């Protein structure tokens, strides 16, 4: 009995030692994210961090910093590239000005449902990952926003109503869209959107119901027009050097956490898409499909933008579209 007790105590001591050894060697990773803490992307970042802690047996301990609190949205990629933070999340097509291929998910009217967006990602993934590798980054997972549409402070039936409107863009594709509609684009992070609308820096924007809801834009705007022109993605990236320094087991644990989070995040996005519209309506906004005249104009602009994306990305861009259409 006594011997048994001794052995149990010994076993407990060894277990405690093992735990403290793990804690001592736990790597602490700060993970900057650009969007609100309550946004599903950020909530999924926390789910990912929990899974990583579990699958690495506490070896990697990620702290999520949402809302651009550690690095602003526009600074996150550089922070990861230069190793100021080992991991972080950003809106992928925000980098399309520097690497046009990363605008694969902004080709207007190409993939307008979650299913199509998944197919497009499958077609684009290898080329996108090669591009990210050139930028010293490794993508762990990507997650789509709901479809994109237009927010205005008045009814809009066509580009006659959009001339001179100050338009918040989130990347080069949306700035082009705005210019084609006679609007004046200004790039503003989602975290600063409410302020931009309140101060009149912007009076319209393109986004999903998600960002309109997060930023309570009904305080300033009245109309949302569903267009579903594309479903852009956020991605969680790791510094390439940090990634290459990990053991095979740790990489596998991170990838397992990432794959599971990617599936959960896409499902959450799809679940919430209509709920966001309901919230916009409940808060007094008109939420409708874009009218036929406006939509026809958007499609014509979309065709021009597709041509210009193909011109910028050359054979790689064409290969993505071909592979997507072949499936
Ligand atoms: N919300 C983000 C990007 C796409 C979206 O739906 C934003 O407006 O910044």
């Amino acid at each position: 009995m006594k011997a048994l007790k001794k052995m149990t105590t010994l076993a407990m001591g060894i277990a405690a030692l093992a735990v403290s050894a793990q804690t001592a060697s736990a790597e602490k990773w700060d993970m900057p994210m650009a969007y609100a803490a309550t946004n599903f992307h950020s909530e999924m970042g926390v789910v990912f961090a929990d899974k990583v802690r579990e699958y690495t047996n506490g070896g990697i301990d990620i702290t999520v910093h949402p809302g651009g609190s550690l690095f602003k949205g526009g600074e996150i990629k550089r922070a990861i590239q230069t190793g100021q933070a080992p991991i972080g999340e950003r809106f992928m097509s925000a980098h399309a000005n520097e690497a046009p291929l990363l605008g694969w998910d902004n080709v207007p009217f190409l993939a307008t449902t979650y299913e199509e967006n998944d197919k497009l990602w499958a077609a684009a993934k290898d080329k996108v990952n090669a591009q990210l590798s050139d930028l010293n980054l490794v993508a762990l997972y990507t997650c789509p926003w709901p479809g994109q549409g237009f927010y205005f402070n008045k009814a809009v039936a066509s580009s006659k109503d959009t001339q001179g409107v100050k338009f918040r863009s989130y990347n080069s594709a949306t700035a082009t869209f705005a210019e084609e509609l006679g609007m004046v684009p200004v790039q503003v992070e989602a975290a600063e959107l409410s302020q931009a609308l309140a101060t009149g820096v912007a009076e319209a924007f393109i986004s999903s119901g998600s960002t309109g809801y997060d930023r309570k834009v009904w305080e300033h705007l009245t109309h949302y027009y569903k267009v579903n022109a594309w479903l852009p993605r956020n991605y969680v990236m790791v510094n390439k050097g940090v990634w290459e320094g990990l053991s095979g087991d740790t990489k596998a644990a991170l990838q397992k956490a990432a794959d599971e989070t990617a599936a959960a995040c896409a499902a959450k996005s799809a679940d919430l898409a209509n709920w966001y519209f309901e919230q916009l309506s409940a808060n007094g906004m008109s939420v409708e499909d874009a009218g036929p005249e406006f939509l026809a104009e958007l499609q014509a602009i979309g065709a021009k933008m597709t041509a210009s994306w193909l011109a910028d990305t050359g054979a790689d861009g064409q290969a993505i579209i071909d592979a997507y259409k072949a499936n």
Side-chain angles (χ1 to χ4, degrees), residues 150-163 165 183 203-204 220-225 285-291 294:
F150 287 87
Y151 289 87
F152 290 107
N153 61 5
K154 57 180 178 182
V156 167
S158 76
S159 61
K160 283 192 198 74
D161 303 318
T162 58
Q163 299 306 309
V165 166
M183 299 196 278
E203 48 194 358
H220 311 286
L221 304 180
T222 50
H223 287 71
Y224 183 77
Y225 292 102
M285 291 190 78
S286 145
V287 178
E288 295 170 21
D289 288 334
F294 192 37

Side-chain angles (χ1 to χ4, degrees), residues 4-246:
L4 189 65
K5 195 168 170 211
K6 239 188 181 158
M7 270 176 66
T8 312
T9 316
L10 188 68
M12 279 168 64
I14 290 170
L17 249 173
V19 168
S20 72
Q22 257 171 25
T23 318
S25 66
E27 275 193 52
K28 300 237 176 245
W29 283 9
D30 285 314
M31 176 161 144
M33 299 183 82
Y35 295 90
T38 51
N39 180 271
F40 71 93
H41 285 286
S42 306
E43 288 174 352
M44 283 295 159
V46 173
V47 167
F48 170 70
D50 288 344
K51 286 180 185 288
V52 168
R53 219 170 284 114
E54 184 186 339
Y55 298 155
T56 62
N57 299 315
I60 296 185
D61 183 11
I62 296 177
T63 304
V64 170
H65 301 271
S69 56
L70 187 62
F71 291 97
K72 292 201 165 135
E75 297 165 355
I76 291 175
K77 175 171 122 314
R78 180 181 298 271
I80 317 303
Q81 281 178 299
T82 57
Q84 286 172 279
I87 190 167
E89 179 229 39
R90 178 63 173 150
F91 186 54
M92 191 181 278
S93 59
H95 310 140
N97 53 341
E98 135 182 27
L101 207 72
L102 300 182
W104 65 276
D105 55 355
N106 270 223
V107 180
F109 303 105
L110 179 65
T112 58
T113 64
Y114 283 92
E115 220 185 324
E116 290 175 354
N117 181 262
D118 248 1
K119 253 177 63 181
L120 183 58
W121 172 234
K125 194 174 180 177
D126 289 349
K127 296 205 186 303
V128 167
N129 284 341
Q131 171 66 81
L132 291 173
S133 178
D134 288 347
L135 296 172
N136 202 34
L137 298 169
V138 174
L140 284 183
Y141 72 87
T142 66
C143 176
W145 289 92
Q148 306 292 292
F150 287 87
Y151 289 87
F152 290 107
N153 61 5
K154 57 180 178 182
V156 167
S158 76
S159 61
K160 283 192 198 74
D161 303 318
T162 58
Q163 299 306 309
V165 166
K166 287 183 262 172
F167 183 86
R168 174 265 179 173
S169 59
Y170 55 52
N171 61 14
S172 46
T174 48
T176 308
F177 231 121
E179 280 161 359
E180 292 280 341
L181 289 166
M183 299 196 278
V184 186
V186 49
Q187 192 147 339
V188 175
E189 281 300 311
E192 272 113 45
L193 182 56
S194 311
Q195 202 187 348
L197 295 172
T199 55
V201 166
E203 48 194 358
F205 66 104
I206 188 169
S207 196
S208 58
S210 179
T211 295
Y213 170 77
D214 286 345
R215 305 274 63 120
K216 297 188 170 51
V217 300
W218 50 81
E219 289 175 1
H220 311 286
L221 304 180
T222 50
H223 287 71
Y224 183 77
Y225 292 102
K226 297 184 202 174
V227 177
N228 235 15
W230 56 75
L231 285 76
R233 292 200 179 204
N234 281 4
Y235 71 120
V236 168
M237 70 197 100
V238 181
N239 173 283
K240 192 161 111 181
V242 168
W243 177 255
E244 284 170 353
L246 299 173

Side-chain angles (χ1 to χ4, degrees), residues 258-298:
D259 291 347
E260 289 176 7
T261 309
C265 190
K268 186 90 186 163
S269 178
D271 273 0
L272 286 171
N274 273 321
W275 182 85
Y276 287 128
F277 291 147
E278 286 162 19
Q279 303 313 304
L280 299 180
S281 294
N283 283 286
M285 291 190 78
S286 145
V287 178
E288 295 170 21
D289 288 334
E293 206 184 334
F294 192 37
L295 191 61
E297 288 180 310
L298 298 177

